Amino acid sequence: MRVMTPPKWLLEPSESKIRRAGRYIGMKGLDQHDIDFVLDTLAFASGAKTSIFLKEREREIADFIERFPLDRVPGRSNMMKAVRALKLYKAAKHYIEVYERYYLDIVVYLIGLMELPPIDAQGMALLLRLAGGDEDGEDNQTQMAMEIAASQGIDLKKMLEIARQLDETDAFQSPQGELTPDPNGEDIRVRSIKEMSELPRISQQSWGLPDSLLMYKAFTGDLDVRDPVTRHDKKQLLYMLVDGTGSMEGDPVSRAVGVAINALERVIKGEAEVYLRFFDGELREQEYHADTPEAARELLQVVTDPENYQGSWTRFIEPLRTASERVNDLVREGKFRFPEIVMVTDGAAQIPDVTDLNGTKLNAVQVGPRLVEGLAKLAEASGGVNIDATERSDN
């Protein structure tokens, strides 16, 4: 149910546009309540009034929308900002009462507005839950966050910053499974209307529009049609290479943990599997693998272990070439799609040619004192992204 009464002049975005925006920041399967939340957030930003007769849950949603600082959220459009507001709300809704004294400060911190005041260990756990958006059960990021906070002096601020940076890019975006039209399918694909004969399959909400506006939206393709489909999923393959040299100690390791959290979130959701190897002058033999929440938690402990950061010098060519060959071997087994190499390094070395990647996308996360332009260009040439988390970018 909508909690805001939008102005009559307001043209609201279609469901398909909102779902696309959600997928862009890693939110799949938005239901009607989620769509209504985004529409209500946009309506309030346009001067809508809160409905008078609301139930307790609806009042809670309206309170969040009314006090949420939407104008300060990063995003090219109000719709993208509203979808990010939904992500934060879904992550924190069970904790509003318990953590009321921290709640708005935490939200503000996560969208980069101000420093977070000192909080206790439970507050730190909530911070990471908000950043990751996991809510369910014991096997979640809260438990992992508590383990991290108690481990090797990880800087939570640096860790959260890099995790949020990755959310703003196309890196690690969970692939959509192949969809096959199926009258008995349990999934629904929402798309724009193509012809008038599809009017019976538009949403119930659209039928409430005035006839003239309904026909206008139909002719311009601005109505959503719902198709029953069956989804055939393969998991995404994320192959992490983490610089294991001694210079990674401190902030670089905190950022490496942030990258790992972002990747392992996909494992917890059942969307990806993560393989991880450390490198220095060469790619180390030990290969770690996370395909379950339990394995993801264990792998996170591996990334925080200082014993893995004892190398003395860095090379890029051999580790990347060997990793790309291993990725191709895994893909040929038939259970993975959309493979990506994720390299976290604070070093500089000779840059390989893009052909050495054997067609695999490379995402480079640079956490050293200065940006290595050649590595950034290599990542972009492969179709991946370069994340500048260097000391220079902090200034």
Side-chain angles (χ1 to χ4, degrees):
M1 176 181 172
R2 299 287 296 273
V3 300
M4 300 288 172
T5 304
K8 293 182 179 179
W9 52 264
L10 182 63
L11 283 178
E12 298 182 319
S14 63
E15 285 187 22
S16 58
K17 290 181 180 178
I18 294 174
R19 293 180 193 279
R20 281 197 297 272
R23 288 195 295 270
Y24 181 77
I25 62 169
M27 297 179 68
K28 296 197 304 182
L30 298 186
D31 60 24
Q32 191 59 51
H33 293 298
D34 298 331
I35 300 296
D36 288 345
F37 181 101
V38 174
L39 292 174
D40 281 330
T41 301
L42 291 171
F44 184 74
S46 300
K49 302 296 184 182
T50 304
S51 300
I52 298 175
F53 301 105
L54 296 176
K55 298 178 181 178
E56 182 177 352
R57 169 178 163 73
E58 294 160 354
R59 181 70 258 172
E60 173 192 300
I61 295 172
D63 287 343
F64 180 93
I65 292 173
E66 288 170 352
R67 65 177 177 165
F68 189 80
L70 187 70
D71 59 324
R72 303 179 192 178
V73 178
R76 294 189 297 272
S77 66
N78 273 351
M79 184 179 71
M80 183 59 75
K81 294 179 181 182
V83 173
R84 289 195 171 101
L86 170 66
K87 183 173 185 178
L88 287 173
Y89 174 74
K90 286 171 72 70
K93 62 184 178 182
H94 297 313
Y95 300 88
I96 290 176
E97 293 182 5
V98 177
Y99 297 101
E100 177 63 30
R101 60 186 171 136
Y102 304 136
Y103 180 66
L104 190 56
D105 282 335
I106 289 172
V107 170
V108 167
Y109 174 84
L110 286 172
I111 57 178
L113 301 180
M114 57 181 287
E115 294 294 325
L116 186 71
I119 59 176
D120 58 16
Q122 287 182 318
M124 288 193 292
L126 176 60
L127 262 175
L128 285 178
R129 182 182 283 261
L130 277 167
D134 190 282
E135 302 171 12
D136 304 318
E138 294 295 325
D139 272 332
N140 55 34
Q141 283 188 278
T142 298
Q143 184 171 343
M144 289 195 291
M146 295 301 291
E147 293 175 2
I148 294 168
S151 62
Q152 307 296 334
I154 298 301
D155 186 325
L156 288 173
K157 181 179 178 182
K158 300 294 185 186
M159 180 171 61
L160 286 170
E161 283 175 349
I162 190 65
R164 189 180 63 212
Q165 259 186 291
L166 284 164
D167 272 339
E168 296 292 321
T169 73
D170 291 331
F172 307 171
Q173 294 304 311
S174 302
Q176 298 294 303
E178 182 179 353
L179 300 177
T180 304
D182 181 359
N184 300 314
E186 296 182 357
D187 290 306
I188 295 293
R189 174 171 55 191
V190 178
R191 59 173 176 81
S192 298
I193 191 170
K194 294 180 179 178
E195 52 188 54
M196 300 301 288
S197 62
E198 295 175 335
L199 274 173
R201 302 209 305 277
I202 65 174
S203 66
Q204 185 176 0
Q205 182 182 7
S206 297
W207 283 113
L209 297 171
D211 289 347
S212 57
L213 180 57
L214 178 67
M215 289 298 103
Y216 172 78
K217 282 178 167 283
F219 278 115
T220 57
D222 198 26
L223 288 177
D224 292 321
V225 171
R226 297 165 175 266
D227 293 331
V229 295
T230 295
R231 184 184 300 275
H232 306 280
D233 278 325
K234 288 184 179 180
K235 290 184 179 181
Q236 184 177 25
L237 169 60
L238 299 177
Y239 204 95
M240 287 192 65
L241 301 179
V242 179
D243 192 328
T245 56
S247 61
M248 284 284 289
E249 182 180 354
D251 285 353
V253 172
S254 297
R255 290 186 164 112
V257 174
V259 176
I261 282 181
N262 201 292
L264 292 171
E265 180 185 351
R266 274 67 178 175
V267 176
I268 292 170
K269 292 179 179 179
E271 299 170 346
E273 293 186 19
V274 171
Y275 289 77
L276 183 144
R277 290 169 76 174
F278 290 91
F279 73 97
D280 36 52
E282 60 184 5
L283 191 61
R284 297 180 190 169
E285 289 294 328
Q286 178 69 53
E287 182 180 72
Y288 302 92
H289 178 210
D291 58 350
T292 65
E294 295 81 5
R297 187 164 56 247
E298 293 173 4
L299 185 53
L300 205 53
Q301 294 301 315
V302 169
V303 180
T304 66
D305 187 350
E307 293 298 318
N308 289 315
Y309 301 93
Q310 303 292 326
S312 58
W313 61 292
T314 304
R315 289 181 65 196
F316 291 161
I317 294 179
E318 188 274 336
L320 281 171
R321 184 181 293 152
T322 304
S324 66
E325 291 170 355
R326 172 65 173 145
V327 165
N328 285 342
D329 288 342
L330 290 167
V331 170
R332 277 193 289 269
E333 293 177 6
K335 67 175 184 175
F336 294 117
R337 301 175 70 202
F338 301 103
E340 298 184 19
I341 294 175
V342 186
M343 179 185 237
V344 186
T345 182
D346 71 337
Q350 184 178 355
I351 306 299
D353 188 81
V354 69
T355 58
D356 289 320
L357 298 175
N358 296 307
T360 302
K361 181 188 295 186
L362 169 66
N363 299 303
V365 183
Q366 300 197 47
V367 297
R370 62 187 63 84
L371 184 71
V372 179
E373 294 287 352
L375 185 57
K377 291 178 180 178
L378 176 65
E380 292 164 1
S382 74
V385 299
N386 178 73
I387 302 295
D388 183 359
T390 60
E391 294 174 10
R392 182 194 70 171
S393 69
D394 288 339
N395 299 326

